[in-house]
Amino acid sequence: MLPSALIALFLAGSALSTDHWGFSAMIADRDAPSIAAIRYDAATREISNWRSQTVGTLEPKPVAMAAALLGADRPVVTRCVKLNNYWCIKSARWDGEIGKDSEGHVGFASADHGADAAVTLLRRYYLEFGRKSALDIVRRWAPAECGIATGIGGLAVLAVKGIGGTVRARYLASRRGKGVTTFTAKGRGGKPGRVSMVIPLKTPQYRVPDIAEGMGEKPKPVPKMEAAPRPKIRAAAAPMATASAPKPAVAACAPDEQRLRNYAERMVGDLDLGPNDDLKLFAADGTPLPNLTAVMAAMSSFELGMLRPGAALIEGAVQRAILRAEARKAAPSADPEL
């Protein structure tokens, strides 16, 4: 039933494309966009040509066509689709960057610009920053977004997200009312909003980990007590530290840590590698290796959900990266990517 519905949408989209959206003409001109004519709309957080880019570069085609025709939103279309940024890259004055949203995600003039930026960023991670494995890369590419501990009473204060997506929760009292903490969301003009809750919290004084040293209570002196000698236990050899070795995690970060591991597993899904193995993405001179294509496809599909980039988009970006690597070898003093 579902495939039939998608095919119907695709046929309907094909019929409408010439009369309503003019997709055929826009797709034909996709490889040579006029950047001056392309705009970023901050209100809707989208690039003006995202529909034609979606139809021309993303798969499966029926879903891409339907998404472009209907202006679909989540879960079919993530915000990065409407930014021509299929790897959800943050702003860094990339070639083809014409805007960015409130969280710094780039709006590219075309999907090709976004793919080129993804290759460049992966090369820098791999060669310049020494991030060789999938876990090493995703910990920097898509870092954990769990709340930061405030150290009040040794517990993190979590904001309550109010109606309409506005965060207006305020911490009103610390341990007021015998360990009862109140969170209140206020509406416009200071009037009470529709979200209010009272959460009873016990506030024992825990030691915070070293990563947040200085945010918790100072250790209290412990009186010396004589104790019977215990047998010595030989400690196991500590594993060699690596960039991807996780630090002691706060319990609130556990879901995000799992997300990162799922991301890394997706990256190596089509390769005979583990999430901590060298991905073998680039040679020492910056020339892309065969695994780069599979890793780029996996990363983008993880970011986009129901959509994924077509093979032509990724292969084009890889071929351009090969040409840039050859240009660097011919003129080492000039970097064609800068």
Side-chain angles (χ1 to χ4, degrees):
M1 181 67 182
L2 182 58
S4 300
L6 291 177
I7 292 173
L9 283 172
F10 176 74
L11 294 176
S14 299
L16 290 173
S17 62
T18 302
D19 296 334
H20 188 60
W21 294 110
F23 278 145
S24 299
M26 288 190 288
I27 294 171
D29 191 49
R30 179 180 62 83
D31 294 329
S34 175
I35 295 181
I38 300 170
R39 295 286 183 268
Y40 170 66
D41 188 337
T44 59
R45 298 199 299 184
E46 64 185 40
I47 301 296
S48 57
N49 67 342
W50 78 268
R51 297 175 188 272
S52 64
Q53 295 294 298
T54 296
V55 173
T57 61
L58 293 181
E59 296 178 354
K61 288 300 180 186
V63 179
M65 179 71 80
L69 281 172
L70 304 175
D73 215 323
R74 292 178 181 271
V76 178
V77 172
T78 65
R79 61 182 172 184
C80 291
V81 170
K82 296 184 178 182
L83 295 172
N84 297 333
N85 183 358
Y86 305 155
W87 286 265
C88 290
I89 297 169
K90 294 293 185 72
S91 174
R93 298 183 180 180
W94 300 105
D95 182 30
E97 178 176 337
I98 61 174
K100 62 181 179 180
D101 67 11
S102 58
E103 296 181 10
H105 293 99
V106 182
F108 285 105
S110 72
D112 287 332
H113 285 103
D116 287 343
V119 173
T120 300
L121 192 55
L122 281 172
R123 182 177 69 84
R124 290 176 180 170
Y125 278 15
Y126 190 85
L127 294 178
E128 298 176 23
F129 306 141
R131 293 181 177 269
K132 306 289 188 180
S133 72
L135 269 176
D136 284 341
I137 290 173
V138 299
R139 288 188 192 283
R140 183 66 184 86
W141 191 284
E145 299 175 353
C146 58
I148 300 174
T150 62
I152 301 177
L155 297 176
V157 178
L158 303 180
V160 179
K161 191 171 184 180
I163 300 299
T166 303
V167 178
R168 294 183 179 274
R170 296 182 179 180
Y171 183 72
L172 299 181
S174 175
R175 301 178 62 189
R176 186 178 65 184
K178 297 181 180 180
V180 175
T181 303
T182 304
F183 294 91
T184 303
K186 291 188 176 181
R188 295 181 179 178
K191 296 181 180 180
R194 296 175 60 186
V195 177
S196 181
M197 65 178 67
V198 177
I199 306 174
L201 296 176
K202 295 182 180 180
T203 57
Q205 303 299 320
Y206 295 108
R207 282 287 296 153
V208 296
D210 292 340
I211 194 171
E213 187 173 359
M215 294 165 58
E217 175 183 349
K218 294 182 178 179
K220 298 179 180 179
V222 179
K224 295 182 178 180
M225 298 179 63
E226 295 184 0
R230 296 184 178 182
K232 294 183 179 180
I233 301 176
R234 185 177 179 181
M240 183 177 294
T242 63
S244 62
K247 296 179 181 178
V250 181
C253 294
D256 234 20
E257 175 64 20
Q258 187 59 50
R259 174 183 65 86
L260 296 180
R261 292 189 173 276
N262 292 343
Y263 201 150
E265 291 286 352
R266 177 78 68 87
M267 289 172 65
V268 298
D270 293 333
L271 305 173
D272 189 19
L273 297 172
N276 289 299
D277 295 336
D278 188 333
L279 289 172
K280 298 179 174 61
L281 298 180
F282 295 90
D285 62 2
T287 302
L289 298 178
N291 286 356
L292 178 62
T293 300
V295 169
M296 285 190 65
M299 292 180 72
S300 183
S301 66
F302 189 90
E303 296 283 359
L304 300 187
M306 296 184 67
L307 295 168
R308 64 180 185 275
L313 177 65
I314 296 176
E315 290 172 1
V318 171
Q319 289 302 313
R320 289 189 292 273
I322 293 174
L323 294 177
R324 290 195 295 270
E326 293 175 351
R328 281 192 298 271
K329 286 188 287 186
S333 60
D335 189 342
E337 292 179 333
L338 297 180

